[in-house]
Amino acid sequence: MLVGLNYPWPANRYITIGPNLTPRGKPQSWTQDNKMENNFKTLRDAGITVIRMWLMGNGANYDGTVEVGFANDRGNFWDFHPPASVDKSFLEDFALLLNICRQANVQIIPVLIDFAFFDEPKGDLPLGAGRFVPTHGDWPGGRRSIAENPSIRREFIIGTLEPILKIAAANKDVIYAFEVINEPGWCIYRFTGSLFGKSLKPNDMMAFLSECVASIKAYGLKSTIGHRYLSDIYGEFSSVKVDLPQHHYYASKLFDSLNGKYPSTRIAKIIGEFGSITASEFDALKDRASRERDPTRKKILDRQVSDFDLQKNQWPDLSNIAPLVVNLPRDTDPSTILELRLQHLDSLGYQLAIIWPSPVDPDRETIDDLKLDSQKLQSVRRFTGR
């Protein structure tokens, strides 16, 4: 089984390619140094050969126009219209990213968009019936019309996705698979808490995914979708056929399951995300956040406490049965958690397992570090034999 790492925030940025919004007009920070290539080489040396990375995230820097108005059959509407041709910086940055992967001798799973791309718009724009408002990095989300409207969807595929795929196809040797979207289930689930607003119609989402997958295959690339649960692959999203079925696993007792639940003929190929933090590490992070007095560092720590709360769960499959039938989790040691989890995933028939990294140190938040400490890397080395 191959081992990968989620590298979701190069230089701690959510969006990897295209116009930079912080600061505006400047190149993406990762393009100006060799930190990413050095990090990839460090990972490669530990036997981590695949990188999974977001490209456009929630779409905040993906500009077009918004049509706002009212229609008798729809009520109030807010439709995003993509550009006829994607900004060249998306293409230039993507080509550079693939070259960095080649130099470091790693492959990549580029994730085109996150589920938040289709969420309710998070910014304010002038309203007016029938009005087309140009966007200038004003707001994230709000691109749901790309899934809902067939003609707008086609504009997106022709003007944005296919130019990106053309570059990917020219660098096929470094593309492990091309991922349409991260965790699309949140766009259609009935209950999402604060993760997502008004849900999309499942048929609209399936049409979007199917058409994107068809384009990926037309360019001779392997396709994947980063599903939250294994059940998504065989449930609501079963009509969308990808080359490499992928799901994530954080040991939520109510929903999560691994390949062992299904017959071997229905095995998923990729674990796209799984946690690398133990409960004791999470408790230490939470304690540090509670004691932090510097507002900037505290904000970073508090957000990580929220983000990593789900990831601290121990895996029920990694429990010893004591004489009194008491479950004793084995994945509680930071020095062995990844080795044990990788061994287990390998035994279940996955061909690739992609680690979700550890929390970042607030004192290094502006540094593009690995987000996977030496202790965890050594654990991976034992599994990969490096």
Side-chain angles (χ1 to χ4, degrees):
M1 182 184 74
L2 299 179
V3 180
L5 179 73
N6 282 279
Y7 202 90
W9 303 294
N12 298 309
R13 306 288 183 87
Y14 179 43
I15 293 172
T16 302
I17 64 174
N20 197 349
L21 301 180
T22 52
R24 290 176 182 267
K26 298 291 185 181
Q28 294 284 354
S29 57
W30 63 267
T31 67
Q32 302 304 294
D33 55 48
N34 60 358
K35 290 177 182 176
M36 184 185 290
E37 182 177 340
N38 289 338
N39 284 345
F40 288 0
K41 288 179 178 178
T42 298
L43 296 171
R44 184 70 177 82
D45 186 57
I48 295 173
T49 59
V50 180
I51 305 297
R52 180 172 178 260
M53 184 185 295
W54 275 242
L55 296 183
M56 299 168 64
N58 58 16
N61 71 338
Y62 178 61
D63 287 318
T65 58
V66 174
E67 183 183 4
V68 182
F70 176 86
N72 291 331
D73 59 337
R74 301 175 59 195
N76 291 316
F77 64 85
W78 174 301
D79 289 344
F80 176 82
H81 289 257
S85 299
V86 69
D87 188 293
K88 66 178 182 179
S89 63
F90 285 97
L91 307 179
E92 292 169 348
D93 288 351
F94 186 49
L96 177 59
L97 174 61
L98 298 187
N99 187 59
I100 289 173
C101 291
R102 177 176 291 102
Q103 295 300 317
N105 195 25
V106 297
Q107 290 186 297
I108 188 171
I109 298 179
V111 185
L112 182 65
I113 57 174
D114 192 20
F115 66 85
F117 189 86
F118 293 128
D119 201 356
E120 298 292 315
K122 304 300 183 183
D124 297 321
L125 288 174
L127 301 181
R131 188 171 182 176
F132 284 84
V133 182
T135 69
H136 301 286
D138 308 275
W139 41 276
R143 275 74 176 170
R144 59 195 301 124
S145 60
I146 290 173
E148 294 173 332
N149 187 307
S151 63
I152 294 177
R153 185 189 312 143
R154 196 63 201 152
E155 290 173 8
F156 173 78
I157 290 173
I158 293 173
T160 297
L161 175 58
E162 292 189 349
I164 291 173
L165 291 177
K166 184 176 181 180
I167 293 172
N171 296 272
K172 196 178 298 185
D173 57 315
V174 297
I175 303 289
Y176 186 87
F178 196 97
E179 183 172 326
V180 179
I181 184 173
N182 173 63
E183 300 192 351
W186 298 117
C187 302
I188 65 170
Y189 292 156
R190 186 171 299 178
F191 304 107
T192 63
S194 60
L195 275 177
F196 201 82
K198 179 183 176 182
S199 61
L200 288 170
K201 294 178 181 178
N203 286 346
D204 291 337
M205 175 55 72
M206 303 314 153
F208 170 79
L209 295 175
S210 295
E211 291 182 27
C212 288
V213 167
S215 289
I216 293 169
K217 292 183 177 182
Y219 277 84
L221 301 164
K222 298 292 186 182
S223 59
T224 188
I225 295 168
H227 289 297
R228 175 62 186 88
Y229 303 116
L230 177 61
S231 58
D232 287 340
I233 298 173
Y234 302 120
E236 289 191 279
F237 293 88
S238 60
S239 64
V240 183
K241 308 298 184 183
V242 298
D243 297 296
L244 297 172
Q246 173 197 163
H247 74 99
H248 305 159
Y249 183 72
Y250 290 112
S252 168
K253 293 180 180 179
L254 293 177
F255 302 107
D256 275 0
S257 57
L258 291 168
N259 266 342
K261 180 180 177 181
Y262 292 98
S264 59
T265 55
R266 304 182 71 189
I267 284 180
K269 302 298 184 184
I270 301 173
I271 283 285
E273 296 179 14
F274 72 96
S276 62
I277 185 173
T278 65
S280 61
E281 288 177 299
F282 177 79
D283 289 342
L285 175 69
K286 191 174 181 179
D287 179 65
R288 181 177 177 183
S290 68
R291 292 184 288 103
E292 182 59 61
R293 293 294 175 262
D294 179 84
T296 300
R297 289 198 292 269
K298 182 169 179 57
K299 182 178 179 180
I300 296 168
L301 288 166
D302 284 343
R303 176 163 185 173
Q304 291 189 92
V305 168
S306 175
D307 290 345
F308 281 86
D309 185 40
L310 175 69
Q311 302 179 34
K312 71 181 186 300
N313 297 332
Q314 296 158 356
W315 289 14
D317 291 356
L318 293 177
S319 296
N320 292 321
I321 306 300
L324 298 179
V325 196
V326 176
N327 287 334
L328 299 176
R330 293 186 291 145
D331 54 344
T332 58
D333 186 339
S335 69
T336 59
I337 179 175
L338 286 179
E339 183 180 9
L340 289 170
R341 290 181 173 183
L342 288 167
Q343 288 171 349
H344 183 60
L345 295 173
D346 188 22
S347 73
L348 293 176
Y350 292 95
Q351 68 181 44
L352 170 64
I354 310 177
I355 301 161
W356 191 265
S358 306
V360 299
D361 186 331
D363 295 324
R364 294 171 54 85
E365 200 271 339
T366 59
I367 300 176
D368 188 15
D369 60 14
L370 285 176
K371 308 176 185 69
L372 199 64
D373 63 32
S374 58
Q375 183 175 230
K376 301 288 174 64
L377 277 175
Q378 189 59 35
S379 184
V380 173
R381 284 179 181 275
R382 289 194 294 272
F383 174 79
T384 61
R386 300 296 292 269

